[in-house]
Amino acid sequence: MNCPEFRDKTHEHLRGNLPRGEEVELKAHAEECSECSDFTSTCSELTCKEFVDFLHSFIDGELAKERATVFDRHLSVCPDCTAYLESYRRTMELSVLAMTDLSVSEKIPEELVLAVLNAQKQGE
Amino acid sequence: MTRTGIRYPGHVLEERTLLDGLREGVPHAFEELVRKHAGRMRATALRLLTNETDAEDAVQDAFLSALRSLGTFDGRAKLGTWLHRITINAVMMRLRARGVRNETALDSHLPEFGENGTFAAAQMRWHEGADTPALRDDLCRRVRSHIEELPDNYRIPLILRDLDELSHREIAEALDVSENAAKLRVHRARQALRDLIEPHLAEPA
Ligand SMILES: [Zn+2]
Ligand SMILES: [Zn+2]
């Protein structure tokens, strides 16, 4: 097993999709490859659910420094959370884009102006 | 030039003159205020209320309430920012008056995780999608309609945070919930919207 294969299979393993027996091969590789062994411990220091549950605090920079480092490290090994974070950010950008209608704020709604002025006069 | 001889940047001076005029009841000062800010205030109200009549009523409430509370405006914030907050207050009053509607959970649009906390399904990368202005407009229209699909108890916090740029604390106050609850609603709303948009942007497998 080579290192990229190890990483793919580790993700499958974490999702519970790895065929039995292949775990042995994973273990064997991790024992002789320190990089992949580090990869495995990084994968298990934070779950995807924890990452996603606090994603908004991570984005807002509200996490303590050490915690944020753990989040960054999780991103470096987790393609799922990387994709989720990207699409979450994109969603935020798109909602701003979709809801900002420039033509609305540029046009002076004459009827509204008159209604407000009338209401003010009646209140005097 | 002001009486004290201090020179202010143009827009500050303009706002001060307008404010002084409003406080002293100078004719047309109020009209000037309305003409200058009604468009943006209407857009703010319309996003939240989604109904033109309600939105215009809220803007009217907001201007009258601004007139009443002129004395409390200390001039440190910009006039536009102050009016924006007053508009949101007026909108929240209307929302409360029209009663709770469409309060549902979003569970079906939240990601699922396996027992060990890993994503139950592999997450897809999104493609850029909107390369031309026409495609971009189309995408924006879809996104807008998905936002409108969200139940009010999530749609409102999302708009207040991402469009009106209120803090979580301000949202909590507006909705009369805890700050944590406000944070969670914004987060869930974005997650649900993400899920609704995904079919338009996810890379085909
Ligand atoms: Zn290796
Ligand atoms: Zn993850």
Side-chain angles (χ1 to χ4, degrees), chain A residues 1-12:
Chain A
M1 185 184 295
N2 60 30
C3 299
E5 273 171 5
F6 177 88
R7 287 163 198 224
D8 287 347
K9 293 202 166 171
T10 300
H11 287 302
E12 287 309 302

Side-chain angles (χ1 to χ4, degrees), chain A residues 10-17 46-57 59-60 62 74 78-101 104-124, chain B residues 30-31 34-35 38-40 42-43 46-48 55-57 59-60 63-64 67 109-111 113 116-130 136 139-141 143-144 147-148 155 158-159 161-163 168 183-184 186-195 197-198 201:
Chain A
T10 300
H11 287 302
E12 287 309 302
H13 178 50
L14 286 168
R15 285 195 195 109
N17 292 340
L46 185 78
T47 67
C48 297
K49 183 173 189 312
E50 287 168 321
F51 182 91
V52 169
D53 281 349
F54 292 94
L55 178 59
H56 56 295
S57 311
I59 287 182
D60 286 347
E62 283 177 355
H74 183 83
C78 182
D80 285 337
C81 286
T82 305
Y84 195 86
L85 172 67
E86 260 176 34
S87 57
Y88 183 95
R89 280 220 167 99
R90 187 85 195 285
T91 300
M92 289 169 67
E93 288 164 15
L94 282 173
S95 41
V96 173
L97 205 60
M99 297 296 275
T100 314
D101 188 348
V104 172
S105 49
E106 276 165 15
K107 143 184 116 186
I108 299 169
E110 192 57 34
E111 278 173 34
L112 176 59
V113 170
L114 296 178
V116 173
L117 294 177
N118 256 330
Q120 185 236 353
K121 279 194 194 102
Q122 277 166 14
E124 265 176 356
Chain B
F30 184 64
E31 180 168 348
V34 175
R35 287 196 182 280
R40 192 158 299 164
R42 183 177 176 280
L46 189 57
R47 275 201 298 259
L48 289 157
E56 299 199 346
D57 286 348
V59 171
Q60 196 166 307
F63 274 117
L64 298 185
L67 267 187
H109 293 296
L110 300 180
F113 299 94
N116 57 2
T118 322
F119 275 100
Q123 294 301 297
M124 286 173 285
R125 299 301 277 262
W126 286 12
H127 57 75
E128 278 308 308
R136 215 191 68 151
L139 182 60
C140 280
R141 239 191 319 277
V143 171
R144 207 176 309 142
I147 292 176
E148 280 165 18
R155 189 180 61 83
L158 175 89
I159 294 175
R161 177 72 184 152
D162 290 340
L163 276 300
H168 286 121
K183 260 187 207 177
L184 203 59
V186 172
H187 183 43
R188 295 235 165 107
R190 289 175 184 156
Q191 288 183 287
L193 184 61
R194 196 210 69 86
D195 189 62
I197 297 175
E198 183 157 77
L201 286 171

Side-chain angles (χ1 to χ4, degrees), chain B residues 10-39:
Chain B
H11 69 277
V12 176
L13 195 58
E14 208 178 293
E15 292 209 341
R16 286 175 65 99
T17 314
L18 184 53
L19 265 169
D20 288 346
L22 283 167
R23 285 179 175 140
E24 287 158 22
V26 172
H28 298 300
F30 184 64
E31 180 168 348
E32 196 184 323
L33 180 81
V34 175
R35 287 196 182 280
K36 197 165 166 210
H37 295 276

Side-chain angles (χ1 to χ4, degrees), chain B residues 8-180:
Chain B
Y8 294 95
H11 69 277
V12 176
L13 195 58
E14 208 178 293
E15 292 209 341
R16 286 175 65 99
T17 314
L18 184 53
L19 265 169
D20 288 346
L22 283 167
R23 285 179 175 140
E24 287 158 22
V26 172
H28 298 300
F30 184 64
E31 180 168 348
E32 196 184 323
L33 180 81
V34 175
R35 287 196 182 280
K36 197 165 166 210
H37 295 276
R40 192 158 299 164
M41 286 163 71
R42 183 177 176 280
T44 298
L46 189 57
R47 275 201 298 259
L48 289 157
L49 289 161
T50 66
N51 166 305
E52 297 200 357
T53 314
D54 285 357
E56 299 199 346
D57 286 348
V59 171
Q60 196 166 307
D61 296 347
F63 274 117
L64 298 185
S65 131
L67 267 187
R68 279 194 301 274
S69 48
L70 264 180
T72 66
F73 179 65
D74 63 8
R76 261 183 298 172
K78 285 179 95 178
L79 200 47
T81 312
W82 182 65
L83 288 170
H84 177 240
R85 289 312 311 275
I86 294 179
T87 306
I88 288 176
N89 289 343
V91 166
M92 295 314 294
M93 298 257 280
R94 298 237 151 222
L95 280 170
R96 273 191 288 271
R98 84 184 179 188
V100 182
R101 66 180 194 195
N102 195 13
E103 280 223 1
T104 43
L106 294 170
D107 295 6
S108 63
H109 293 296
L110 300 180
E112 283 176 36
F113 299 94
E115 267 172 52
N116 57 2
T118 322
F119 275 100
Q123 294 301 297
M124 286 173 285
R125 299 301 277 262
W126 286 12
H127 57 75
E128 278 308 308
D131 315 326
T132 68
L135 282 173
R136 215 191 68 151
D137 283 355
D138 185 54
L139 182 60
C140 280
R141 239 191 319 277
R142 286 162 196 264
V143 171
R144 207 176 309 142
S145 87
H146 285 310
I147 292 176
E148 280 165 18
E149 242 176 90
L150 295 174
D152 274 1
N153 51 336
Y154 290 96
R155 189 180 61 83
I156 303 293
L158 175 89
I159 294 175
L160 290 178
R161 177 72 184 152
D162 290 340
L163 276 300
D164 293 306
E165 297 180 344
L166 262 54
S167 70
H168 286 121
R169 182 193 297 266
E170 290 168 324
I171 297 170
E173 276 167 21
L175 300 176
D176 199 21
V177 297
S178 73
E179 199 174 325
N180 251 334

